[in-house]
Amino acid sequence: MIVYILCFILFLVGLYGLITRRNLIKIVISLSIMEFSIFILLVLIGYIDGGIAPIVSEKIVNPTYVDPLPQAMVLTAIVIGLATTAMLMAIAIRLYRKYGTFDIREIKNLKG
Amino acid sequence: MSLIVKKVAQLITGFVFLYGIYIIVHGHLTPGGGFAGGAILAGAYILQILAFGRDPLHLKKKETGSSVSESVAIFLVLMMAVAGFFIGAKVFFNNYLPTGKIGELVSAGAIPLYNVLIGIEVAAALLTIFLALIIYKEEIEE
Amino acid sequence: MELTLSILLGFMIIGAIFALHAKDLLSAVIAAGIVGYSLVICFLLLKAPDLAIVQIVVETITLIIMVAVVLDSTRQELSVKIDRQQIINISLAVIFMLVLVFFFIQAINTLNPFGEHSLRMASAYVGETASKTGSANLVTGVLFDFRGYDTLGEATILFTAAIGVLTILRIKGKK
């Protein structure tokens, strides 16, 4: 049970950073930390004590596999996470070129 | 980069590329598959670009190739999925090829083909993103 | 098993807190790398080799992109003074966290204890993937056969992200 709670604390750290930081790069880092906590939570839920990796082999008699469904879902989510991070980074570097700062409050003031 | 970095990158890139292809082709037998292998293929290209400077004109040609291959790969995935409508059980994403024997390289029906196409798609997409960043950097410095 | 995972997760939390409070953006990015690479070891311990391979490559590429962006712009963290807006933000964050903790306590009571997952939904997948699709790797079988729509959606999102990055970062038009 303690591992679930630690995952949740990792999520809360990411959420805190997302709301209170003002630097765009740190906001992106917080988002990816939240993503990582969700990945590890999903895989933890699918784990079974004494289970083996979900690959069929005829040599093993009467095996117990860990749940393959969360692993398949997380596999797609990891690649999507990379795509969103790259996109946010592109937006951040473009904003830096236009305004000369990563501070979101400055960017808000400069508008118009 | 210095000569040592260039030489080591030259020696390693081929093996990394081969490993990526191995991971993709054996995706239905061993851990790995299209996503992992595609990311490794993109990593091989990125290593090459990081080691051997960047010539903007050459990179732009590469970018055109990678974005075209990405589009073609995702289009072929869609066509293969649609083909399930016309062959066999009239289901989207139907596995219509014979499944074969478990544990052999040519088995599992259409899954290896999907693996190869998704691998090409992921590799091309990651390479396109990286090339866009590098070309942007070059254009600022001009 | 649970102890090892707890130590790794604690390590990840320390890395995350350091990443949010570092004065230098480059060290913040590298501290975020600690979190990602610890995740790889967690996946290996949890019997998910597919995820470990993907995560280690993806984390490396993410780190390369982030370091390139940070070195290209600025490494200075903003000097943050505590003003009214900052206090409002922090209190909002605390309120959100308390609400989430309330729901988390409700949710965790319905979860099975760690390591005693019941294969209620996945029993069909585990039992029939090998015989129906002929794929020895169950994750690939689920991903490309039973859950083909998810894979198609993922490929579409990746395509869209690549097009988006190309659009955002283009300064000169193509002739």
Side-chain angles (χ1 to χ4, degrees):
Chain A
M1 202 56 83
I2 183 95
V3 281
Y4 294 148
I5 295 167
L6 283 171
C7 276
F8 186 64
I9 292 172
L10 191 62
F11 182 83
L12 287 185
V13 170
L15 185 73
Y16 178 80
L18 187 69
I19 298 179
T20 59
R21 296 294 116 180
R22 282 165 51 183
N23 195 317
L24 270 174
I25 302 286
K26 292 225 170 151
I27 290 175
V28 177
I29 290 173
S30 318
L31 260 179
S32 53
I33 287 169
M34 281 164 79
E35 263 170 20
F36 290 154
S37 73
I38 298 297
F39 297 161
I40 189 73
L41 182 70
L42 281 175
V43 180
L44 277 175
I45 289 173
Y47 181 73
I48 297 172
D49 266 338
I52 58 172
I55 291 163
V56 173
S57 171
E58 285 164 4
K59 287 171 196 157
I60 307 159
V61 283
N62 207 0
T64 314
Y65 300 115
V66 298
D67 196 344
L69 186 59
Q71 296 192 11
M73 298 294 99
V74 170
L75 191 62
T76 58
I78 288 174
V79 181
I80 291 173
L82 172 60
T84 50
T85 308
M87 181 115 183
L88 285 170
M89 275 297 167
I91 293 173
I93 196 172
R94 202 62 214 248
L95 281 174
Y96 183 81
R97 184 173 152 78
K98 188 152 163 83
Y99 296 112
T101 177
F102 275 136
D103 190 346
I104 49 170
R105 224 182 281 175
E106 291 280 326
I107 292 168
K108 200 174 73 184
N109 287 343
L110 283 168
K111 130 187 120 172
Chain B
M1 291 287 171
S2 68
L3 184 69
I4 298 172
V5 177
K6 280 185 182 172
K7 199 71 202 170
V8 171
Q10 225 173 20
L11 289 175
I12 285 180
T13 310
F15 287 109
V16 175
F17 201 83
L18 205 64
Y19 181 62
I21 291 175
Y22 165 80
I23 290 271
I24 291 179
V25 174
H26 286 75
H28 55 294
L29 303 177
T30 54
F35 296 102
I40 292 172
L41 290 188
Y45 275 113
I46 287 173
L47 175 66
Q48 196 80 325
I49 293 168
L50 285 180
F52 289 90
R54 14 187 227 250
D55 174 19
L57 215 73
H58 184 60
L59 284 184
K60 273 200 177 148
K61 221 181 277 173
K62 260 191 180 174
E63 191 199 16
T64 313
S66 69
S67 59
V68 166
S69 60
E70 180 197 1
S71 315
V72 169
I74 195 170
F75 180 71
L76 284 178
V77 170
L78 205 54
M79 282 300 109
M80 277 190 68
V82 169
F85 271 130
F86 303 107
I87 309 168
K90 308 274 188 287
V91 183
F92 204 53
F93 269 106
N94 184 21
N95 194 350
Y96 40 81
L97 297 175
T99 56
K101 194 162 161 278
I102 294 172
E104 285 180 0
L105 187 56
V106 182
S107 67
I111 288 178
L113 291 175
Y114 281 128
N115 255 334
V116 169
L117 289 176
I118 289 286
I120 293 171
E121 208 267 333
V122 170
L126 296 187
L127 188 63
T128 309
I129 290 171
F130 188 75
L131 282 175
L133 275 168
I134 295 285
I135 290 172
Y136 173 77
K137 225 168 158 177
E138 290 293 320
E139 282 184 347
I140 289 179
E141 281 166 10
E142 271 173 17
Chain C
M1 184 68 186
E2 205 167 355
L3 184 70
T4 322
L5 279 173
S6 307
I7 293 169
L8 272 172
L9 277 167
F11 198 55
M12 285 163 77
I13 291 170
I14 293 171
I17 291 174
F18 181 76
L20 294 182
H21 287 278
K23 284 278 178 286
D24 189 342
L25 282 183
L26 191 61
S27 44
V29 168
I30 292 168
I34 294 175
V35 186
Y37 286 119
S38 310
L39 195 60
V40 177
I41 304 172
C42 288
F43 283 155
L44 279 180
L45 287 176
L46 289 168
K47 307 283 158 57
D50 301 79
L51 296 181
I53 295 175
V54 178
Q55 174 66 24
I56 198 165
V57 185
V58 161
E59 184 60 33
T60 310
I61 295 176
T62 315
L63 218 55
I64 290 174
I65 291 176
M66 280 188 162
V67 168
V69 168
V70 167
L71 288 185
D72 202 35
S73 48
T74 178
R75 284 172 60 175
Q76 288 285 313
E77 163 68 317
L78 314 160
S79 59
V80 178
K81 295 192 298 285
I82 301 286
D83 56 354
R84 226 182 83 217
Q85 184 73 39
Q86 191 73 14
I87 292 169
I88 291 174
N89 280 352
I90 290 176
S91 49
L92 260 179
V94 171
I95 291 170
F96 263 120
M97 281 176 179
L98 288 179
V99 172
L100 280 177
V101 166
F102 173 70
F103 284 113
F104 176 73
I105 291 168
Q106 301 235 316
I108 204 169
N109 286 330
T110 64
L111 277 180
N112 294 324
F114 175 67
E116 294 172 22
H117 175 64
S118 65
L119 286 170
R120 200 178 39 192
M121 191 157 91
S123 58
Y125 288 147
V126 171
E128 293 169 19
T129 304
S131 58
K132 272 193 178 169
T133 68
S135 166
N137 187 350
L138 296 184
V139 175
T140 308
V142 169
L143 203 59
F144 288 103
D145 200 296
F146 297 111
R147 295 260 167 181
Y149 282 108
D150 286 330
T151 311
L152 186 63
E154 186 275 341
T156 316
I157 288 173
L158 204 57
F159 178 74
T160 317
I163 298 291
V165 170
L166 276 183
T167 317
I168 290 166
L169 291 182
R170 181 76 66 206
I171 300 177
K172 295 174 193 159
K174 239 181 194 176
K175 281 168 195 148

